[in-house]
Amino acid sequence: MDGSPSREHVVQLVATEVITRRKLLAAAAGVTAGGVVAGCGLTASPNGSARADAVSLGRQPAGLPARQHAWTATLARDEHGNPIAPRFDRLLFYDLEGPPTREDARALEAVLRALERAYPWGPNGLLFTAGWGPSYFERGLKIASPIERPKGLSSFELPTLDDYALCLHFACDDEARVAAVEAALVRGERLPGINGSLELGGALSWRETRTGFVGTGLPAGHQNVGGIPPGNPVPATSPLFMGFKSGLRKNQATEDYVTIADGPFSGGTTMQVSYMRLRLDSWYGMLDETERVARMYAPEVTPAQVNRFTTDAESDPGLLDRAISRYGVIGHSQTSARARRNGKPLIIRRDFNTVDGGEAGLHFVSVQRSIQDFITTRNAMNASHAQVLNPSITPTINNGINEFIFVVRRANYILPARAERSYPLLAGRSFTY
């Protein structure tokens, strides 16, 4: 046995999580039907929307990129030129309560513009995207979805497949700020400098929030949770729970590469969101540093080399078959790198650690031109042929980090260009840029 949780255990965890969040929703003042539209002082109608021509959108700040997902240029860089991710993230998930209207679109756009005016675009202010899932198009607009539904991508995955209509991803370097933005959108709490409520209503109904962090010192400061053994094994300098760097410059796609080139979503991209639980008791309790390096990168890589990594991991995918036959162990970076096209990665990872539910986890957020690019990368990580060449390697044993991560939930979204982010493809939208 590989120690993976049973299907029944995973289902129980997910069910408990959903029930807990819905109790929180009811107890914490929930989402009211009425409210004040941001910046215009108009009370919404009983269904939560105001007259479309009465909602003041206000101006957007100059210089905002046309792409919602254009974050990289705003990020600080380390001494090697690698971008430094925002330190804190929140994912807010919404369902549709009924068919969306142009009033709903205008009200949502007013809220997003109010945030853009309140905070500069960047980690020192606020970064965010609005992603729309298949249910928005299929049930809300009654049209075929331009984004495919999620699915399990390996024999050992048992994820709950999310069916949310909207995912709002917020990120910045100020944890209090992303918490305040959530409180404003979900509970109607006021934000400094913004006149009126930002509470989202109308066709939207909040269902869940996921939180997290990434950056030097943050994982070590949050390691007293389930899934991590006692003794503070997470290094104080690590940006992630598993003790290694992520997001080196040459192991990420560029924003140009992941941008959709034509069609109704030209200038946009796709987003994949997975919630993974981490089992680090055995990662730290049973493996030494050399063994962890072999599984994270490749068995040919040494801890000394890892300390010298600057722009990419030196885990040659061309040596994979040799690793399979000689070592009986293969590395995560070595297998994943096989998904590169002309030597270039297919996705941008915007993942972050979490202690949601009191358990160590990872919210794996990626953006890519098509969901197929994510699937290709995930399939490469499975390294299915290794199990044929060497029986000591199974789907989870001695196979990268597969033994230590468990996908609990997964979803796919499309991120339109900024001009189309509020209810894309909805007929009768009455605002322009």
Side-chain angles (χ1 to χ4, degrees):
M1 296 178 64
D2 62 9
S4 301
S6 68
R7 182 183 185 89
E8 292 76 15
H9 182 57
V10 171
V11 170
Q12 182 180 20
L13 284 171
V14 172
T16 300
E17 185 174 285
V18 170
I19 290 170
T20 300
R21 290 198 182 277
R22 287 184 175 169
K23 284 183 178 178
L24 173 64
L25 174 63
V31 177
T32 61
V36 179
V37 179
C40 67
L42 290 176
T43 301
S45 61
N47 69 358
S49 63
R51 286 176 48 238
D53 58 357
V55 178
S56 173
L57 295 179
R59 292 185 177 274
Q60 290 174 288
L64 287 172
R67 303 168 181 174
Q68 284 195 85
H69 61 284
W71 292 15
T72 305
T74 73
L75 304 180
R77 305 276 171 158
D78 67 15
E79 64 272 28
H80 306 293
N82 298 304
I84 300 173
R87 290 172 64 81
F88 299 98
D89 295 75
R90 297 217 172 191
L91 301 169
L92 276 60
F93 298 91
Y94 289 82
D95 282 337
L96 283 182
E97 291 299 315
T101 66
R102 65 191 185 100
E103 289 88 349
D104 293 319
R106 195 172 178 90
L108 174 59
E109 184 63 24
V111 167
L112 300 181
R113 291 192 186 192
L115 292 174
E116 288 168 341
R117 290 192 296 273
Y119 307 109
W121 187 250
N124 292 328
L126 188 67
L127 293 164
F128 59 90
T129 59
W132 298 88
S135 66
Y136 162 70
F137 299 98
E138 295 169 355
R139 293 200 292 270
L141 302 187
K142 309 298 184 185
I143 62 175
S145 173
I147 188 79
E148 62 190 85
R149 288 188 172 275
K151 59 185 178 182
L153 296 175
S154 69
S155 61
F156 53 90
E157 284 187 356
L158 297 171
T160 295
L161 303 177
D162 288 335
D163 196 30
Y164 298 121
L166 171 65
C167 174
L168 297 175
H169 180 191
F170 294 96
C172 75
D173 288 338
D174 186 338
E175 185 175 20
R177 179 169 299 155
V178 289
V181 168
E182 179 197 359
L185 270 61
V186 173
R187 298 190 295 277
E189 297 182 15
R190 300 302 176 93
L191 286 175
I194 295 180
N195 177 31
S197 172
L198 299 185
E199 185 175 2
L200 295 182
L204 292 174
S205 179
W206 172 79
R207 286 292 179 262
E208 181 184 357
T209 294
R210 300 175 194 168
T211 71
F213 47 86
V214 59
T216 301
L218 290 173
H222 289 82
Q223 64 183 302
N224 294 318
V225 293
I228 300 178
N232 297 324
V234 179
T237 58
S238 175
L240 291 166
F241 275 140
M242 298 192 82
F244 297 106
K245 299 175 184 177
S246 181
L248 298 175
R249 181 158 41 91
K250 292 183 181 179
N251 67 16
Q252 299 282 324
T254 66
E255 288 174 341
D256 284 343
Y257 188 83
V258 304
T259 298
I260 298 169
D262 49 34
F265 291 99
S266 174
T269 190
T270 72
M271 178 174 72
Q272 179 281 146
V273 179
S274 295
Y275 175 21
M276 303 177 182
R277 292 280 175 85
L278 301 179
R279 189 185 69 185
L280 302 184
D281 299 83
S282 52
W283 177 254
Y284 285 112
M286 297 178 63
L287 303 178
D288 62 25
E289 184 180 12
T290 298
E291 292 170 318
R292 293 195 297 271
V293 166
R295 286 160 176 79
M296 180 60 73
Y297 298 105
E300 298 90 351
V301 174
T302 68
Q305 285 178 291
V306 172
N307 293 332
R308 295 194 299 268
F309 287 165
T310 56
T311 61
D312 200 359
E314 298 171 10
S315 46
D316 187 351
L319 299 178
L320 179 61
D321 285 352
R322 189 180 80 168
I324 293 169
S325 60
R326 179 179 296 185
Y327 300 100
V329 173
I330 53 179
H332 167 68
S333 293
Q334 191 173 39
T335 57
S336 300
R338 295 179 305 145
R340 296 185 180 187
R341 188 174 296 133
N342 298 321
K344 297 180 179 180
L346 306 182
I347 69 175
I348 300 175
R349 297 194 310 276
R350 288 181 171 161
D351 51 308
F352 49 94
N353 278 144
T354 185
V355 291
D356 287 349
E359 297 286 335
L362 178 74
H363 293 307
F364 189 89
V365 178
S366 65
V367 294
Q368 52 281 309
R369 190 182 307 169
S370 73
I371 291 298
Q372 185 58 50
D373 287 336
F374 167 73
I375 294 173
T376 297
T377 303
R378 184 64 183 86
N379 286 341
M381 179 178 160
N382 290 336
S384 300
H385 81 293
Q387 303 150 44
V388 177
L389 298 177
N390 190 331
S392 68
I393 300 173
T394 75
T396 56
I397 302 299
N398 297 324
N399 192 336
I401 60 173
N402 290 344
E403 182 180 353
F404 310 98
I405 59 174
F406 303 98
V407 181
V408 179
R409 308 183 74 99
R410 176 172 289 141
N412 297 336
Y413 301 92
I414 195 155
L415 301 184
R418 191 179 301 273
E420 305 297 329
R421 66 187 172 184
S422 297
Y423 292 90
L425 304 187
L426 176 67
R429 292 195 334 154
S430 59
F431 52 89
T432 58
Y433 288 77

